[in-house]
Amino acid sequence: MGSRICYLARFPSIFLFCITLLQAATFASSGNAFQERDRVALLAFKSMIIHDPERMLNSWNDSRHFCKWEGITCSRRHRRVTILDLSSRGLVGSLSPHLGNLSFLREMNLGNNSIQGEIPHEFGGLFRLEALYLYNNSLVGKIPADLSYCSRLTILHLESNNLVGNIPMEFVSLYNLRNLTLRKNNLTGSIPSFLGNLTSLVKLSLSYNALGGNIPDSLNLLKQLEFLGLASNNLYGTVPLSLYNLSSLTTFSLGENQLHGSLPPNLGLSLPNLQVFQVSHNFFSGSIPISLSNASKLEWIEMYINSFSGKLSVDFRGMKHLSMLHVALNKLGSGQDDEMGFINSLVNCSNLKDFNININLFTGALPHSIVNLTSQLQYLGFEHNKIYGSIPSGIGNMVNLEVLDIGGNLITGKIPNAMGKLHNLRFLNLAQNKLSGKIPSHLGNLSTLEKFLLADNKLSGAIPSSLGKLKQLIYLDISQNELSGSIPKEIFSITSMAIGFYLHKNHLVGSIPPNIGDLTIIGEIDVSDNSLSGEIPIELGLCSSLEALYMQGNFFHGSIPQSLSSLRAIQYIDLCHNNLSGPIPQFLETLFLWELNLSFNSLEGQVPTKGIFANSSGASVVGNTRLCGGIAEFELPNCTKDNPNKRKISSVSKILISTASAFLGLFLVSLIIYCWLKNRRGKQGQPSLSILEKTLLKVSYKSLLKATNGFSSTNLLGVGSFGSVYKGNLDQDGTVAIKVLNLQQRGALKSFMTECKALRNIRHRNLVKIITSCSSIDFLGNDFKALVFEYMPNGSLEKWLHPTLETENAEVEIRKLSLLQTISIGIDVASAIDYLHHHCEEPILHCDLKPSNVLLDNDMTAHVGDFGLVRFQPEISSLSTSSSVGVRGTTGYAAPEYGLGSELSTHGDDYSYGILLLEMVTRKTPIDLIFEGYLNLHNFARTALPDRIMDIVDPVLLNDDEEVSTTNHRLRQTRNNDRRECLISLVRIGVACSIESPQDRMNVTYALHELQSVRKILLEHTRV
C-alpha cells in the first residue's frame, strides 16, 4: 500500500484528483443521509395528520422525490427542504417533533388548519428558520422557550390558538424579530419589558389575551414599530407618554382594557403617520386633543365608551381618508352655541362611512349641512343627546345610508317624505323625540328596512297601510304616540316580523285582523292600552314562536281561545283590564309561563292549581269576582261541590244502572279469562299485557292493514331496532304513522309495553302524540302489536341533517335548516327532555335521544319520539350498577359511562342531547370516519372554540341570511358577527352537555334557558 502511495506521489495531479473524488463520495453519502432525514421527518408529520380533506398528502409517497411533494420547496444545491407551506388545507392532526430535523428549513406555514396539541420544543433546532406561521389552529400549551434558539427568526405568527402561560423570557435573544403576532390566545402574565430590546420589531400584536399589569416604558425603544396592538387584555394604569412619540406608528390599538389618564395635547403632531387610533372601552378622560386635526392619514378613530368630555373641536377637513369616527358613550359636549360645528368640517371626508356620536351630552341645533356629508355614509348615529331642530328634507340624498339612529333627542317637526328615498336603510330610529304629524306613507318604500322605531313621539293619524310593504321588517315599534283608527290588516302580512310588534299606548280602535296568525315567527306582541275591541283572535295560536303577549287595557270580550294552547314558546301573557268572560282554560297550567295576568275581567269558575297557577307571584287573577278555588295565596272562596240544579237519580234508575253494570262486569271478566287462556297456550314464557297497555286497545289489525295498503313498502317511513314505521290513512284520524313491532326480535315486546306505559301519562307539545294502539293477531294467527302516532310531514331530523337519494320528501334534498330553525329545534328537544326529567309524575329517562328519533311537523316544530328504551326513576334505583340496565342507547349518542356499567341517570340524556346539538351545528355524525382515536365530535367542536368556529359549522348556517345584500358590507359584517356569536354559543352548549364526566355536564334544563337567550340574540341582531 505504501508503495502505491509513493507511486501516486510522483504524479501530484493524479493524487489530487483521487483525493477530490474521495471527498465528493463522502459528501454525497452525507448529503443522501441528510435528505433521507428530511424525508423521514415529512412522513412522520404526515402520519400525525388524521384528516386531509383535499387529499393533498396523497402526493407524499415514494413514487417521486420529496422535493416534488405538494407544499414542499427544496434548495437547488443540497436538495434539502427549505419551505413547508400547507396553509389553509383543512388539515386535522398534530405537529410531529420530527419536523425539528428539517435543519435547512427557512419557512414553515401551517396556518389556518385544525392542528391540535402542543408546539414541539424540538422546533428550537430549526436554526435557519426565518418565518413560523401557525395561526388559526387549535394549538394548546405554552409557547416553547426553545424557539429562542431560532436566532434568524423574523416572523412568529401564532394568532388564534389556545396557547397559555407567559411570553417566554428567552425571546430576548430574538434580535431579528420583525413581526410578533400572538393575538387571540389565552396568554397571561405581564407584557415583558425585554420586548423593548427587540429593536427590529415592526409589528407587535398581543390583543385578545389575558395579559395584565402596566404597559412597559421600554416599548418606546421600538423606533421602527408601525403596528402596536394591545387591545382586549387586562392592562391597567396610564399609557407611557413616550409611546405617543413613536412617530412611525400607523396603528395604535389599546381598546378594551382598564387604562386611564388623558391623551397628550400634541397627539396629532407626534404621531403624523397614524391611520388607526383605537382607545375605546377604557377609562380615558379629558378632552379630545385639537392637534388630532394634523393626523391627516387617519382612517379609523374609535374612542367610544370612555369619559372624554368638553367640546369636540377637531377640524376634520384634512382627513381625506377618514372612514370611521366613533366617539359614542362619552361625556362630550360643552353647551356652547357652535357645539355641532365640527360636523361642517366632516363634509370634506369623502370616504366617511361610519359617524357615531350616540349617547353623549351634545347640545345644539342639528346643522342642515349634515345632508352634505358624503353619499358613501352608511351609519349615522347621534341618539340620546340634546340635539334639537328638524330633520332636513335633504336627508334623502344620503342614498347609501343603512343605519339612521337619531332617537332620544329633542327633534321636532314632521318626518320628511324624502326619507322614503333611503332605499338601503335597514335600521331607522326616530323614537323618543317630539315629532308630530302623520307617519308618511312614503316610508313604505323602504323595502330593505328591518327595524323601525317611532315610539314616544307625538305622531297622530292612522297607521298607513303602506307599511305592509316592508317585507323584511323584523321589529316595529310605533307605541306611545297619538295614533288613531284601526290596525291595517296589511301590517300583519309582514311574515318576516320576528322580534316584536309594538302598538301600545295609542288610541287605536276596532278588532285585531285575523291575519295576525301570519306572524308565525314573531317573538312579542304588545297592543296594550288602546281602545281595541272584539274577541281575541283564535289565529293567535298560529304564532308558534310567540314568547310575550300583552293585550291589557282594552275592551276585548269573549272567552280566552283554546288555540292559545299551541303557543309552545310563550312565557308572558297579560290580558288584564278587559271584558273577558268564561272559565280559565285548563291548558294555561300546562304552558311554561313566567307571568300570567288575568286580573280585572269577568272570568268565572275554578282557578287551576298547577303550573303558573301554583305561583302567586307569577299569576294574578284579582278583580274577577266570580272565580273560586286556586291556591290559598289567591284568597278566593272555595268552590261549592254540590250543584242544586243537579237532578237526583231515581231508585228505578239506580236498579237499572246496577243491573247493567253487573252484566258488563261479567262480560269483561269472561273476556279477560278467554284472552288469558288463549295467550297461555304456547306462550307461557311471555310476559302478560299490562293494564296500562289495555287502555289503548282501539284499532284492529284489519284497519291497519287497509290503512297501509297491506303494509306496502311504498308506505314505509323507516326501520328501527324493534320494528318498522309506515305511513297510513285511518278514516277517523286521517294520515298517521304506524309503528309495527317485530315480535321475533328479542326485546320487542318489552319495548312495546314500556312505550305504552310511558305514553299513557305524558303530554307535551314537543313529544310525539300517540293516537291509539293495536294488540291483536294477524290473518295467520300470529301476535300483532302496533302503535299509531300523529304523522309528522317533515320526517325525522336525521333526514334533514343527512339527506339521501332514498329520502321520500324531495324538498329535503334542496332545503336546509337555517340557523334560526336549528336553534328552535334545539329548544324544542330540550323542552321535551326537561319535561321528562322534571315535570312528570315520576322522572323518565329517554335513553335513546338521536336525530332519527326527533320528528318535525308541518311548521318544523320538533317532537321527540320512540320511547321503547325509556326508564322510570323508581325502576332505575332498583337496578344494580352492573346489572341489567340493558340497552343504553345508540353508539355515538350513548353516554360513555354506560359503557363502563354505570347506572342510568339524567346525565346520560344530557350527553345525548349535547351530541345531537353538535351534530345539528356541524352536520357530522358522532361516528363520522374522521373521528378516530382521541378525536371525537365533542373534542372536534371543543378545540374549535372560539376562533375557528366558522371552520367546523355547517356552511348553510353561515350563509342563510339571503336578505343581506352583498353590497352592504357593514351590515353584512354586523350580521356575520351576530351569527358567529350565536354559533359559538350553540357549540359551547353542545360541548358543555357532552363533557365526559357526568357530574360536570350542563343539564338540559340549563341548556334550554341558554338556547332561548341565543335565539333572542339572533333575532335582535345586537348592532342593527
Side-chain angles (χ1 to χ4, degrees):
M1 181 69 180
S3 62
R4 291 180 181 178
I5 294 175
C6 292
Y7 175 76
L8 289 172
R10 299 175 185 176
F11 303 95
S13 59
I14 296 176
F15 182 73
L16 290 174
F17 177 72
C18 291
I19 293 297
T20 302
L21 285 177
L22 182 62
Q23 289 176 338
T26 302
F27 288 147
S29 175
S30 175
N32 288 334
F34 283 122
Q35 287 184 29
E36 178 63 15
R37 190 179 182 188
D38 283 5
R39 190 183 74 86
V40 169
L42 294 174
L43 290 177
F45 168 71
K46 177 183 177 181
S47 69
M48 298 186 73
I49 298 300
I50 60 177
H51 184 49
D52 175 17
E54 298 180 8
R55 300 176 183 258
M56 179 271 308
L57 294 179
N58 288 353
S59 69
W60 289 29
N61 56 60
D62 292 335
S63 64
R64 62 176 77 177
H65 192 274
F66 64 80
C67 288
K68 296 182 178 180
W69 292 354
E70 190 168 352
I72 302 299
T73 303
C74 291
S75 60
R76 292 183 179 181
R77 179 180 177 187
H78 300 291
R79 306 291 287 168
R80 300 289 305 281
V81 178
T82 57
I83 298 176
L84 171 61
D85 186 356
L86 299 176
S87 60
S88 304
R89 299 301 187 106
L91 301 176
V92 179
S94 54
L95 297 173
S96 171
H98 292 280
L99 290 177
N101 293 329
L102 300 175
S103 55
F104 268 60
L105 196 66
R106 296 198 307 271
E107 179 180 326
M108 182 192 298
N109 190 346
L110 298 174
N112 199 28
N113 283 292
S114 298
I115 307 296
Q116 304 162 0
E118 298 185 357
I119 302 173
H121 66 85
E122 287 84 356
F123 281 15
L126 301 173
F127 302 120
R128 293 181 173 86
L129 193 66
E130 297 174 3
L132 178 60
Y133 300 95
L134 296 176
Y135 61 90
N136 200 17
N137 279 287
S138 299
L139 297 168
V140 298
K142 296 182 177 181
I143 301 173
D146 290 350
L147 287 178
S148 61
Y149 294 121
C150 304
S151 57
R152 298 186 184 180
L153 206 59
T154 60
I155 299 174
L156 181 58
H157 196 171
L158 306 180
E159 175 184 348
S160 297
N161 282 286
N162 298 310
L163 301 171
V164 298
N166 300 334
I167 300 172
M169 294 293 296
E170 290 80 359
F171 279 14
V172 68
S173 62
L174 297 178
Y175 293 111
N176 294 306
L177 207 57
R178 292 176 57 81
N179 181 342
L180 178 60
T181 301
L182 305 178
R183 71 192 298 264
K184 289 192 175 181
N185 279 285
N186 299 313
L187 301 177
T188 53
S190 59
I191 299 175
S193 58
F194 73 77
L195 291 178
N197 296 330
L198 307 182
T199 54
S200 297
L201 274 176
V202 174
K203 180 176 182 179
L204 177 60
S205 179
L206 305 177
S207 300
Y208 298 97
N209 279 287
L211 299 170
N214 298 99
I215 300 174
D217 292 329
S218 59
L219 296 186
N220 73 331
L221 300 175
L222 304 177
K223 301 303 182 183
Q224 299 184 53
L225 196 66
E226 297 177 3
F227 186 105
L228 177 62
L230 305 178
S232 296
N233 280 287
N234 297 318
L235 303 174
Y236 54 82
T238 58
V239 179
L241 287 176
S242 55
L243 283 188
Y244 295 112
N245 293 322
L246 295 175
S247 58
S248 57
L249 276 178
T250 61
T251 298
F252 188 91
S253 178
L254 305 180
E256 296 185 53
N257 281 288
Q258 301 172 42
L259 301 169
H260 64 270
S262 58
L263 301 178
N266 64 338
L267 176 66
L269 298 171
S270 59
L271 298 176
N273 295 304
L274 205 56
Q275 297 174 13
V276 177
F277 185 68
Q278 297 170 317
V279 293
S280 55
H281 219 300
N282 278 287
F283 300 102
F284 288 107
S285 57
S287 60
I288 296 177
I290 299 176
S291 66
L292 208 58
S293 308
N294 297 288
S296 58
K297 297 180 181 179
L298 269 170
E299 299 175 12
W300 284 61
I301 300 176
E302 290 188 13
M303 308 175 72
Y304 59 92
I305 312 182
N306 279 287
S307 296
F308 291 115
S309 59
K311 185 178 180 181
L312 181 57
S313 302
V314 177
D315 187 345
F316 296 98
R317 283 178 295 182
M319 300 181 189
K320 305 294 185 183
H321 307 288
L322 188 64
S323 175
M324 172 181 280
L325 174 59
H326 195 344
V327 294
L329 288 145
N330 279 286
K331 300 176 182 178
L332 294 169
S334 63
Q336 298 180 15
D337 293 339
D338 59 345
E339 177 87 308
M340 308 300 293
F342 71 95
I343 291 180
N344 296 326
S345 68
L346 286 169
V347 173
N348 289 346
C349 302
S350 57
N351 289 308
L352 189 63
K353 294 181 179 179
D354 191 325
F355 174 37
N356 190 340
I357 61 172
N358 289 342
I359 314 178
N360 275 285
L361 301 175
F362 288 108
T363 303
L366 180 66
H368 280 217
S369 63
I370 197 167
V371 300
N372 297 323
L373 294 178
T374 171
S375 61
Q376 303 299 316
L377 196 66
Q378 296 176 0
Y379 189 110
L380 176 59
F382 48 89
E383 72 159 331
H384 287 294
N385 283 281
K386 298 179 181 179
I387 299 172
Y388 51 85
S390 60
I391 302 174
S393 59
I395 199 165
N397 298 329
M398 308 175 83
V399 292
N400 285 303
L401 207 59
E402 295 178 7
V403 176
L404 177 58
D405 189 359
I406 59 178
N409 281 285
L410 304 171
I411 306 295
T412 56
K414 297 181 179 181
I415 301 172
N417 289 330
M419 197 170 283
K421 298 178 182 180
L422 303 177
H423 296 297
N424 289 306
L425 206 61
R426 295 186 178 275
F427 181 91
L428 175 59
N429 181 11
L430 305 178
Q432 295 179 299
N433 279 288
K434 296 183 177 182
L435 295 168
S436 58
K438 296 182 178 181
I439 300 175
S441 59
H442 294 76
L443 295 183
N445 298 328
L446 304 179
S447 57
T448 60
L449 198 62
E450 295 178 358
K451 288 189 177 182
F452 187 16
L453 290 78
L454 285 176
D456 198 5
N457 278 286
K458 296 181 179 180
L459 298 169
S460 59
I463 301 173
S465 60
S466 62
L467 296 186
K469 295 190 295 183
L470 305 178
K471 298 303 182 183
Q472 296 191 39
L473 203 64
I474 63 174
Y475 183 99
L476 175 63
D477 188 353
I478 51 180
S479 63
Q480 301 183 69
N481 280 284
E482 298 172 3
L483 300 172
S484 57
S486 60
I487 304 174
K489 64 179 182 180
E490 290 82 2
I491 295 290
F492 296 118
S493 66
I494 308 175
T495 56
S496 61
M497 198 91 71
I499 297 177
F501 178 77
Y502 304 95
L503 300 178
H504 56 281
K505 295 186 178 179
N506 279 288
H507 307 303
L508 301 173
V509 297
S511 60
I512 295 179
N515 65 327
I516 192 173
D518 293 341
L519 305 181
T520 55
I521 61 172
I522 190 76
E524 192 167 326
I525 295 176
D526 191 344
V527 294
S528 62
D529 297 315
N530 280 284
S531 297
L532 298 170
S533 56
E535 295 188 352
I536 297 176
I538 59 174
E539 290 81 5
L540 266 174
L542 300 174
C543 303
S544 55
S545 296
L546 192 64
E547 296 180 357
L549 175 62
Y550 300 105
M551 306 182 74
Q552 70 270 21
N554 283 286
F555 299 104
F556 293 114
H557 60 81
S559 60
I560 300 173
Q562 188 71 23
S563 63
L564 298 188
S565 62
S566 60
L567 298 180
R568 57 185 175 84
I570 197 72
Q571 297 178 31
Y572 303 91
I573 297 179
D574 194 337
L575 305 177
C576 73
H577 290 281
N578 279 287
N579 297 322
L580 299 174
S581 57
I584 296 177
Q586 205 71 25
F587 72 81
L588 287 175
E589 66 180 3
T590 67
L591 298 177
F592 292 98
L593 294 169
W594 289 97
E595 290 182 13
L596 173 64
N597 192 349
L598 304 177
S599 301
F600 299 101
N601 281 283
S602 299
L603 299 171
E604 60 186 48
Q606 186 167 3
V607 176
T609 57
K610 297 180 180 179
I612 187 63
F613 295 99
N615 177 12
S616 62
S617 62
S620 177
V621 295
V622 299
N624 291 278
T625 57
R626 301 176 67 183
L627 289 178
C628 63
I631 60 175
E633 288 83 349
F634 289 152
E635 299 181 352
L636 295 173
N638 294 330
C639 296
T640 57
K641 295 182 179 180
D642 297 327
N643 187 343
N645 297 322
K646 186 176 179 181
R647 292 184 299 175
K648 294 183 179 181
I649 301 175
S650 66
S651 58
V652 176
S653 299
K654 290 181 180 179
I655 294 173
L656 290 175
I657 292 172
S658 300
T659 304
S661 299
F663 277 113
L664 181 60
L666 287 172
F667 173 75
L668 290 174
V669 170
S670 300
L671 181 61
I672 292 171
I673 293 173
Y674 169 77
C675 293
W676 177 75
L677 290 174
K678 184 179 183 303
N679 287 332
R680 189 179 181 188
R681 292 196 300 269
K683 298 184 179 294
Q684 295 180 358
Q686 278 192 357
S688 62
L689 299 181
S690 66
I691 295 175
L692 290 168
E693 178 206 347
K694 291 179 181 177
T695 61
L696 296 174
L697 304 184
K698 294 179 182 178
V699 183
S700 68
Y701 169 78
K702 181 180 179 181
S703 298
L704 297 185
L705 186 70
K706 178 183 177 182
T708 59
N709 295 318
F711 300 111
S712 167
S713 60
T714 59
N715 286 51
L716 185 66
L717 296 176
V719 179
S721 302
F722 298 120
S724 304
V725 181
Y726 296 88
K727 180 180 179 181
N729 197 298
L730 292 174
D731 294 337
Q732 68 272 32
D733 296 300
T735 304
V736 294
I738 303 168
K739 179 178 180 180
V740 178
L741 276 293
N742 177 12
L743 298 178
Q744 306 303 316
Q745 177 70 32
R746 183 180 178 185
L749 181 58
K750 182 179 179 181
S751 172
F752 176 73
M753 297 174 67
T754 301
E755 197 155 8
C756 286
K757 180 181 178 182
L759 292 169
R760 179 177 180 269
N761 290 317
I762 58 177
R763 292 289 186 275
H764 190 272
R765 61 182 178 273
N766 296 123
L767 295 177
V768 173
K769 179 184 177 183
I770 186 169
I771 297 174
T772 184
S773 71
C774 176
S775 183
S776 182
I777 57 173
D778 61 21
F779 292 154
L780 299 177
N782 299 315
D783 275 357
F784 176 86
K785 298 191 184 300
L787 295 169
V788 181
F789 296 96
E790 181 182 4
Y791 176 66
M792 297 291 159
N794 278 312
S796 72
L797 176 60
E798 181 176 38
K799 291 183 178 180
W800 283 79
L801 296 179
H802 314 292
T804 63
L805 294 177
E806 292 78 22
T807 303
E808 178 191 357
N809 187 349
E811 291 187 10
V812 175
E813 299 296 326
I814 302 172
R815 295 172 58 194
K816 304 289 185 182
L817 294 175
S818 67
L819 179 55
L820 181 59
Q821 286 175 320
T822 298
I823 297 172
S824 295
I825 291 171
I827 290 173
D828 291 342
V829 176
S831 296
I833 301 302
D834 173 64
Y835 169 78
L836 294 176
H837 288 182
H838 304 294
H839 302 286
C840 295
E841 291 183 6
E842 51 182 338
I844 297 175
L845 309 185
H846 188 276
C847 297
D848 197 19
L849 188 60
K850 57 185 177 182
S852 61
N853 288 339
V854 176
L855 304 176
L856 303 171
D857 65 14
N858 209 33
D859 65 352
M860 296 302 287
T861 299
H863 303 259
V864 175
D866 197 343
F867 296 89
L869 297 182
V870 300
R871 290 291 186 271
F872 300 85
Q873 198 69 52
E875 173 186 319
I876 297 165
S877 60
S878 66
L879 297 171
S880 66
T881 303
S882 60
S883 75
S884 54
V885 278
V887 181
R888 297 177 174 90
T890 303
T891 302
Y893 302 94
E897 66 268 17
Y898 289 172
L900 302 175
S902 295
E903 188 175 318
L904 294 171
S905 71
T906 57
H907 299 310
D909 282 349
D910 295 338
Y911 180 87
S912 302
Y913 178 76
I915 294 298
L916 181 143
L917 190 60
L918 293 178
E919 184 172 352
M920 283 198 292
V921 176
T922 65
R923 207 173 279 256
K924 293 188 183 297
T925 69
I927 56 172
D928 194 288
L929 294 178
I930 71 167
F931 299 136
E932 297 179 358
Y934 163 80
L935 190 63
N936 55 32
L937 181 54
H938 169 86
N939 292 331
F940 176 73
R942 179 181 59 80
T943 53
L945 287 170
D947 298 314
R948 285 194 317 99
I949 206 69
M950 296 307 201
D951 297 338
I952 69 166
V953 301
D954 177 14
V956 174
L957 301 181
L958 306 177
N959 303 312
D960 65 4
D961 201 2
E962 295 178 354
E963 73 272 13
V964 179
S965 168
T966 55
T967 61
N968 295 322
H969 174 74
R970 177 178 178 79
L971 182 65
R972 187 172 67 254
Q973 185 63 42
T974 302
R975 280 293 187 83
N976 288 341
N977 290 340
D978 291 338
R979 189 174 299 277
R980 181 177 181 276
E981 291 303 315
C982 289
L983 287 168
I984 289 174
S985 297
L986 284 181
V987 174
R988 285 193 193 280
I989 295 168
V991 168
C993 288
S994 57
I995 291 173
E996 185 171 354
S997 172
Q999 291 75 23
D1000 294 334
R1001 288 176 198 149
M1002 177 188 290
N1003 64 53
V1004 169
T1005 304
Y1006 189 78
L1008 172 61
H1009 293 302
E1010 290 289 297
L1011 282 172
Q1012 288 171 336
S1013 299
V1014 173
R1015 180 169 64 180
K1016 187 173 182 180
I1017 291 172
L1018 178 64
L1019 294 176
E1020 287 180 351
H1021 289 302
T1022 52
R1023 175 132 195 220
V1024 180

